[in-house]
Amino acid sequence: MTGVSRSLSRGRSWVLALPVAWLIVLLGAPLGIVVLIAFAVPADSVPPYSLGFSLDNLWLVASDPMYRDALGRSVRVAGISTAICLVIGFPMALAIARAAPRRQNALLLAVMLPFWTGFLMRINAWIGLLADDGWIVRLLGVSHLLYTDAAMYIGIVYTYLPFMVLPVYARLSRLDPALMEAAADLGAGPWRVLLRVILPLSLPGIAAGSALVFVPAIGEYVIPALLGGPQAQLVGMVLWQEFFANRDWPTASAVAVALLVVLVVVPVVAARVFGWTRRRISG
């Protein structure tokens, strides 16, 4: 039996070796290079830095209001966009999960249909829709909607909404209908069933969808550049400027490291908030 267990353990190790190697090569190595450059010194050379150990770049990012504001603005935009996606996406996911089985595939296809078109083409289409002569502006009776924060939020929510709908739907579709029926039989109204039964059980899907929206949204570059205008100085645009316009790779790497720290801290805080919310709703 010991030999069989050792053989199974060896086989499991070989199975896990490929994804671990994949993560090391495609995640660990680039991250290590970025961290190494963040401690380097800018230089007029190719590449534009000399290896060393200097905390000046990290201190500059931490002390300069431009970088702090860009990081804070990116967190705010990503957080608001995630919240909007949740408010819109949860009812959509619930409606799809409660639809007749023969209609669910068609509804899921409608959610995923935008992915069949190129990303840049879809964003450029929004430029025409939100321009002063676009039909959305004429329908709403407003002006100067393009190149504003509202246009930027519209573009981000439109782009990442499916990333919220699909995980939430996957969770809701596995809920046992008997739980909702039992709650209704005990006198709970529709809103009480939603808040005390459906919502607590769907929190894992909400957490997954929130992560899938928040993480790419915080580093978004294309949408703020095309729809938000020059005032939308998010961290993605700052990274582009430092890397390509200023050719200051150490400072850009320090900004990327700061963004990585934010992406580690925010999910930890969010996980605690989700846990506290789940206990409050369940209790």
Side-chain angles (χ1 to χ4, degrees):
M1 181 64 79
T2 303
V4 174
S5 300
R6 190 181 298 112
S7 177
L8 291 174
S9 178
R10 189 181 300 112
R12 190 180 301 111
S13 299
W14 280 108
V15 170
L16 294 176
L18 182 59
V20 169
W22 183 275
L23 290 175
I24 292 174
V25 172
L26 296 182
L27 179 63
L31 177 60
I33 293 172
V34 170
V35 172
L36 189 66
I37 298 176
F39 290 104
V41 179
D44 293 329
S45 60
V46 179
Y49 63 88
S50 58
L51 294 178
F53 184 82
S54 174
L55 297 176
D56 293 343
N57 304 312
L58 296 174
W59 174 250
L60 176 64
V61 172
S63 59
D64 194 316
M66 182 187 74
Y67 300 112
R68 293 203 313 267
D69 292 346
L71 282 169
R73 194 178 300 113
S74 298
V75 173
R76 183 177 70 252
V77 169
I80 294 175
S81 301
T82 303
I84 297 174
C85 285
L86 178 58
V87 171
I88 300 175
F90 187 87
M92 291 175 60
L94 184 60
I96 297 174
R98 290 191 169 184
R102 66 179 182 276
R103 297 181 56 195
Q104 289 185 3
N105 290 335
L107 293 173
L108 289 174
L109 180 63
V111 172
M112 295 184 291
L113 197 59
F115 290 109
W116 294 13
T117 308
F119 171 71
L120 289 177
M121 292 181 61
R122 288 184 279 133
I123 299 303
N124 282 320
W126 276 107
I127 294 178
L129 293 173
L130 298 174
D132 288 342
D133 57 347
W135 69 268
I136 290 183
V137 172
R138 294 199 301 267
L139 181 64
L140 297 177
V142 297
S143 60
H144 306 298
L145 185 57
L146 187 61
Y147 306 131
T148 62
D149 288 346
M152 178 178 62
Y153 281 116
I154 290 173
I156 294 176
V157 171
Y158 163 77
T159 301
Y160 294 112
L161 182 61
F163 293 96
M164 178 67 73
V165 173
L166 296 178
V168 176
Y169 161 77
R171 183 67 181 179
L172 292 174
S173 63
R174 293 198 298 266
L175 297 184
D176 188 354
L179 296 175
M180 280 72 81
E181 294 174 1
D185 292 340
L186 292 174
W191 282 105
R192 192 170 182 83
V193 172
L194 175 64
L195 296 177
R196 300 303 297 271
V197 179
I198 298 176
L199 186 59
L201 294 176
S202 63
L203 283 180
I206 292 175
S210 299
L212 290 174
V213 173
F214 182 86
V215 171
I218 195 174
E220 182 60 55
Y221 165 73
V222 175
I223 297 175
L226 294 181
L227 298 180
Q231 78 278 5
Q233 287 293 319
L234 303 186
V235 69
M237 300 184 68
V238 172
L239 280 171
W240 188 93
Q241 291 170 359
E242 295 295 345
F243 264 114
F244 298 103
N246 300 335
R247 288 184 56 80
D248 190 349
W249 289 17
T251 299
S253 298
V255 174
V257 171
L259 177 60
L260 180 63
V261 172
V262 171
L263 289 175
V264 171
V265 171
V266 171
V268 171
V269 174
R272 292 183 177 274
V273 172
F274 268 110
W276 178 82
T277 304
R278 190 172 188 176
R279 289 193 299 269
R280 291 283 294 180
I281 293 176
S282 302

